[in-house]
Amino acid sequence: MISRRKFLASSAALAIAPALPTITAAAPVASVEAVKPATTIWVGGHHGEFDWHPFNAPTWRDAVKQMLEYHGYGNDEEIADTMTLTDEELRKELKYAGMDAERAHKMDGLRPDEIRGHHWIRTGLGSTCDRCGSECYDGDGGRAIGTEVVCEDCLTLTDLLHGDKWDIERAEEQIIEVMVDADCDEGEAFEVLSRGNDMSVITPTIWVKCLAEARAAL
Ligand SMILES: [Zn+2]
């Protein structure tokens, strides 16, 4: 005779068995989750210089060590010596050198060698414009358009018309200006605008609206 208690225990054991494959199948998902923050990115360089570089480092001290190596602050031995300083002393030393290393959370998960200009802009930092090479910052003229960094001067009507409502408004103001300069001669305005822009983005609706405003301004 099998007791009720034993019976329950054995049926519970049976019930667990089919569940096992599910648990096993779930395991890779769990490990992917664990792998997700594959990198912890810090950026470091000289204040006001465009020589900052990304470093994958678990701690500030490790990022500083890599930064000193990258920027050639001494040979291995000298850097090892510097790294024996306390955090406070090290901060003073960096201040004296005009350097710093700070966390760039938005770059986490990327490998330093795959970090491009648009990542710097999207992190709220600076980069060089992919169209003209000039330096620009996020929030101060620089923007990331797809995988491209574009400075204020290089922004085209096409870029603006693909932007938000403020950008579209700005694009319309520029179109109106060109139309006014052309005394509302549509052929001339079209010719001027088509020099640096993909005219397909200026829809007939935008054209008519801007032309009406330009005529009113004449
Ligand atoms: Zn530019």
Side-chain angles (χ1 to χ4, degrees):
M1 273 294 275
I2 178 169
S3 74
R4 183 173 156 74
R5 193 188 175 89
K6 267 190 180 157
F7 174 77
L8 283 176
S10 59
S11 56
L14 278 175
I16 285 168
L20 276 175
T22 320
I23 293 165
T24 320
V29 177
S31 59
V32 164
E33 281 297 306
V35 164
K36 204 182 161 197
T39 59
T40 311
I41 304 296
W42 298 73
V43 290
H46 294 86
H47 289 295
E49 302 284 335
F50 268 63
D51 65 357
W52 287 50
H53 189 79
F55 305 102
N56 176 23
T59 63
W60 175 76
R61 287 189 75 89
D62 193 54
V64 168
K65 183 172 178 281
Q66 289 186 45
M67 177 178 73
L68 294 174
E69 286 163 358
Y70 178 81
H71 288 290
Y73 271 77
N75 57 33
D76 288 355
E77 210 177 309
E78 288 160 337
I79 291 172
D81 267 356
T82 307
M83 294 313 295
T84 61
L85 299 174
T86 65
D87 281 5
E88 200 186 332
E89 289 167 337
L90 195 52
R91 281 184 204 282
K92 265 190 201 153
E93 198 65 26
L94 291 179
K95 199 176 172 188
Y96 181 71
M99 298 177 93
D100 208 357
E102 57 185 59
R103 276 286 279 128
H105 296 273
K106 287 186 178 167
M107 292 182 184
D108 283 357
L110 293 165
R111 288 194 322 269
D113 66 356
E114 62 185 359
I115 292 171
R116 301 280 171 267
H118 67 98
H119 293 120
W120 287 84
I121 297 290
R122 289 198 165 96
T123 305
L125 300 166
S127 188
T128 49
C129 173
D130 283 323
R131 295 183 189 169
C132 75
S134 70
E135 296 171 353
C136 56
Y137 293 87
D138 171 58
D140 188 22
R143 30 170 114 194
I145 298 176
T147 57
E148 205 182 10
V149 175
V150 184
C151 79
E152 186 75 13
D153 293 340
C154 290
L155 264 188
T156 64
L157 286 176
T158 311
D159 297 324
L160 289 172
L161 288 169
H162 282 129
D164 61 20
K165 70 170 190 159
W166 305 112
D167 286 341
I168 294 170
E169 216 166 82
R170 236 179 91 185
E172 289 174 353
E173 278 167 19
Q174 289 181 22
I175 296 168
I176 293 164
E177 210 178 291
V178 170
M179 287 172 165
V180 169
D181 285 348
D183 287 326
C184 290
D185 177 327
E186 288 185 70
E188 192 185 324
F190 189 92
E191 207 272 315
V192 171
L193 289 167
S194 60
R195 279 178 207 158
N197 298 288
D198 160 20
M199 294 304 282
S200 68
V201 296
I202 305 177
T203 62
T205 316
I206 293 175
W207 187 268
V208 169
K209 183 185 167 195
C210 291
L211 189 62
E213 288 191 37
R215 281 184 177 145
L218 270 190

